[in-house]
Amino acid sequence: MSTIEIKSPLPGTFYRRSAPDKPEFKNEGDDVASSDTIGLIEVMKTFIEVPAGVAGKGIVFRIGDAEAVMAGQVIAEVEE
Amino acid sequence: MTIHSLLIANRGEIAVRINRAAKALGMRCIQVYSDADADSLAVRLADEAVNIGLPPAAKSYLDIGAIIEAARRTGADAVHPGYGFLAENANFADAVEGAGLVFVGPDGDTIRLLGDKVAAREVARRVGVPTVPGSAGRISSIEEAQGVIVDSGFPVMIKAAAGGGGRGIRIAHTEEEFERFFSQAAAEAQAAFGDGGLYVEAVIGKARHVEVQLLGDGKHFVHCFERECSLQRRRQKVWEEAGAVMLSAAVRNRLCESAVAIAREVSYRGAGTVEYLYDEATEAFYFIEVNTRIQVEHPATEMITGVDLVIEMLRIASGEPLGLRQADLKVNGHAIECRINAEDPAHNFMPFPGTVGALSVPEGEGIRFDTLLYESYQVPPFYDSLLGKLIVWGEDRSAALARLRTALAGLKIGGLPTTVPLHAALAENADVKAGRFNTLFLEEWLQGEEAVRQLKKEEVA
């Protein structure tokens, strides 16, 4: 079993939910499919969905909600 | 009161622009900045810079307390709010005045009055300026909107009273949509603006967007003629011109006079813009809103009038009487402004922050580039995508277009995609050259073959 990193495609602000009153896209420990949205990145006032890009188990977020993120920075990790 | 030190409560190209005007008047410039803007051109050009917080605007450029504190600590006499952020926040204007400082703009009560879109329509009606047919005031139920729907038919726009600048608008095409959107719009307006008030307006199809530039000192008021800003994408202006060449002299005169009448009615002080929709078929214009600040596209007006609008704002704020008289103001030629954004037009305008590579800026007579860029600057992802504005002047519209094509070819911004190819394609477009467009034109054109061909071509090149 190995750990796969999910990296941010863009710099910006990372959000784990689509709106403040909505549930998180993924809870800590959830399994994810490749096409699942794990969060949003706000870049220059535009919101862009971040797909997991890989299938995996037990997602662990490395970036908190509404935190700044750099392009290529690890957002989350899953177990293969 | 003479302004010796000016605090610039904004960022980006407008902070650079304000700096230049203030320096021309011999003022000391104090620039506030967030952690993300420590390396910005505005900070580099300032005499003194103060960090006011974290990158998200809510924790820096929208933090009234932090900005007032920075002004106090640095001994600023006045605060220029620029556009966006706190520029049309009446409480900010009050807080600045309350701290014994000069707010460069109208007083809080004027901002409050004109910022309430329903109250602003009442002001326009009072001085006989036509408004877009719509509800008489705020409406709180679907029943109250029935009169408007019966008169104008669908579609109708549901707008937030506290909105503006294209925000807080929904278009309903059917009664069913209206019922659904109305409650959503009220909840959204409450969340976004802290005011759930709504009003309803008819949709003027095939309209052009025209606006009149105003200056006033509270007693005297002049207009600096009109601009046309019909080329928009997602209700954001992309390309602006001064003046609006399709207007007859008589209509232009009535339009500009109507804006002055509004300024006079509210004893306006500062620079402002009255926005209208213009129906080319009937030559009718309809008031939309007043923006109580300097606008992004102000340089187009400066190019045809020779007036430095930001210097005028600072003089008015210093308490000087308005030095311009209407009879002295004349239109000379035509100007076009292109907004250069860090967006990729070949990929649905995806925003693209990044590091600026080689930068080559066209120069020469009738060419101006207002920008925040310098080579190796890292464009931050936290704010809007405006990198600069290319403004060209010509003796008439076709001369301005010719100069624009040359200037765009000479504008090279390395390292990140920009909207330069979009403007280059528009400057070659037959309808744009003929001035045949309305507010729907750009989005329709972007769906078509020519746009796909032109914008993807750039990608290969």
Side-chain angles (χ1 to χ4, degrees), chain A residues 11-13 42-46 48 68, chain B residues 342 350-351 353 379-383 385:
Chain A
T13 306
E42 182 187 5
V43 52
M44 296 181 150
K45 295 186 170 180
T46 302
I48 290 163
Chain B
M350 172 78 92
V379 179
F382 304 103
Y383 311 106
S385 59

Side-chain angles (χ1 to χ4, degrees), chain B residues 106-395:
Chain B
D107 59 40
D109 287 341
T110 305
I111 296 173
R112 212 168 270 119
L113 172 69
L114 297 174
D116 180 326
K117 303 305 166 190
V118 172
R121 275 166 65 91
E122 290 303 323
V123 170
R125 249 199 290 263
R126 217 156 52 221
V127 293
V129 178
T131 55
V132 177
S135 53
R138 285 168 186 247
I139 53 170
S140 49
S141 70
I142 292 161
E143 287 69 39
E144 289 177 76
Q146 287 300 341
V148 181
I149 294 166
V150 169
D151 287 349
S152 331
F154 284 105
V156 294
M157 283 195 282
I158 305 169
K159 291 184 152 187
R167 298 177 312 144
I169 298 176
R170 272 157 192 265
I171 296 180
H173 293 86
T174 63
E175 187 136 350
E176 186 274 322
E177 270 192 351
F178 189 93
E179 302 218 357
R180 193 149 42 91
F181 290 169
F182 193 85
S183 49
Q184 286 174 6
E188 269 186 19
Q190 182 63 42
F193 310 113
D195 174 357
L198 299 176
Y199 65 108
V200 173
E201 275 182 6
V203 174
I204 311 275
K206 305 268 177 199
R208 299 175 78 126
H209 177 112
V210 294
E211 58 186 35
V212 177
Q213 177 68 53
L214 290 172
L215 284 170
D217 63 7
K219 293 191 177 70
H220 295 98
F221 316 94
V222 297
H223 66 78
C224 298
F225 303 94
E226 80 289 351
R227 295 183 288 261
E228 140 127 64
C229 318
S230 298
L231 293 177
Q232 304 184 1
R233 182 176 167 272
R234 296 189 173 170
R235 297 183 192 285
Q236 299 302 311
K237 297 164 187 167
V238 166
W239 160 310
E240 300 103 340
E241 304 192 22
V245 290
M246 71 289 180
L247 298 178
S248 71
V251 171
R252 173 174 298 114
N253 205 32
R254 277 197 289 125
L255 177 82
C256 292
E257 285 302 323
S258 79
V260 173
I262 289 170
R264 192 177 295 119
E265 176 71 10
V266 300
S267 303
Y268 196 81
R269 203 186 65 219
T273 297
V274 186
E275 298 194 326
Y276 304 83
L277 285 177
Y278 177 68
D279 182 341
E280 222 172 345
T282 60
E283 294 197 300
F285 56 82
Y286 304 95
F287 170 87
I288 317 174
E289 65 186 41
V290 184
N291 294 326
T292 56
R293 54 170 163 84
I294 192 72
Q295 283 192 260
V296 176
E297 60 271 27
H298 75 275
T301 295
E302 296 183 328
M303 295 289 264
I304 62 160
T305 59
V307 174
D308 187 313
L309 292 165
V310 182
I311 284 185
E312 292 302 325
M313 287 180 95
L314 291 168
R315 283 187 177 140
I316 293 163
S318 305
E320 286 180 36
L322 185 63
L324 299 163
R325 288 293 168 269
Q326 195 65 60
D328 304 330
L329 290 164
K330 297 273 186 296
V331 171
N332 175 26
H334 190 82
I336 302 173
E337 174 185 280
C338 296
R339 297 195 190 191
I340 311 300
N341 294 338
E343 294 170 9
D344 188 350
H347 291 101
N348 198 29
F349 295 87
M350 172 78 92
F352 199 98
T355 303
V356 180
L359 185 63
S360 173
V361 176
E363 287 173 17
E365 197 199 331
I367 298 175
R368 167 172 166 184
F369 188 52
D370 281 20
T371 188
L372 54 84
L373 294 174
Y374 59 85
E375 286 183 359
S376 81
Y377 174 58
Q378 176 101 39
V379 179
F382 304 103
Y383 311 106
D384 68 35
S385 59
L386 186 68
L387 298 174
K389 305 170 323 200
L390 179 66
I391 311 107
V392 297
W393 176 90
E395 280 172 13

